Amino acid sequence: MSAMDIADNISQIRQQIAAACVKCDRNPGNIRLVAVSKKKPATDIEAAIAAGQTLFGESYVQECVAKIDEVESAAEWHFIGGLQSNKVKYLAGKVTMIHSVDRLSLAEEINRQWGKLDSSVDILIQVNLGEEQTKSGTTADELLKLVSQVARLQHLRIKGLMALPPWEEDPEAARPYFRQLRVLAAQVEALGLPNVEMEELSMGMSHDFEAAVEEGATMVRIGTAIFGAR
């Protein structure tokens, strides 16, 4: 895909986000576009940066680290994919947020690795709303317990929740899941735990991000609609 196509796609998505915000009386400035650049070359990322996109999400540790080193322009990097504890060390100090924390053992390893740097990292707790066997994420029932445990780790800041609802052709089918994540965030907020803020709801992808915005998303993760099919 050409740099012009990528720029046009980003512009189109921003217009769609703005239109969705009009429907629900939200400020488009409160929604961040995470450009999902997995399996795409650094040249595509540079093209997106030239078009004003600065936030990128990667799903595979090795690829993520390689791109962070390869891309010369200034960018913010989030890790959004399933994460094995033994690979956390490669991300330490390189990403500003991890969207996919779904268990205490992973949180403890992230805490340990950032602790070595005497630093902290923002994280989101991933919730498997559809309780699908093929997806990561804690269950809605276990969420409050997990948040309470992770909140004690001094090198992590819980900033919100992330979800990847069951895929449906009709984007409206995802809306109840987006709404459920917003409700869960309010329940977490009500706990009043230190180092826990429900500022971010990372939800919505290329085919359903408008519904996600209408239901309260603060970050939408969009790959195909920017960079084309993988």
Side-chain angles (χ1 to χ4, degrees), residues 98-103 107 123-127 137-138 143 146-147 150 158-163 181 198:
I98 297 172
H99 289 224
S100 48
V101 179
D102 61 352
R103 59 197 184 279
I123 65 164
L124 305 179
I125 302 295
Q126 182 174 353
V127 188
T138 188
L143 174 63
L146 179 60
V147 169
V150 175
I158 301 175
K159 289 294 186 181
L161 306 178
M162 184 269 257
L181 197 70
M198 289 291 108

Side-chain angles (χ1 to χ4, degrees), residues 6 37 39-49 56 58 63 66-73 77 227:
I6 289 171
S37 45
K39 297 189 178 178
K40 293 295 177 180
T43 50
D44 282 5
I45 297 170
E46 293 282 7
I49 293 171
F56 296 88
E58 288 284 337
E63 182 183 354
K67 283 186 188 161
I68 291 171
D69 291 341
E70 189 178 353
V71 173
E72 295 181 358
S73 303
W77 298 90
F227 298 112

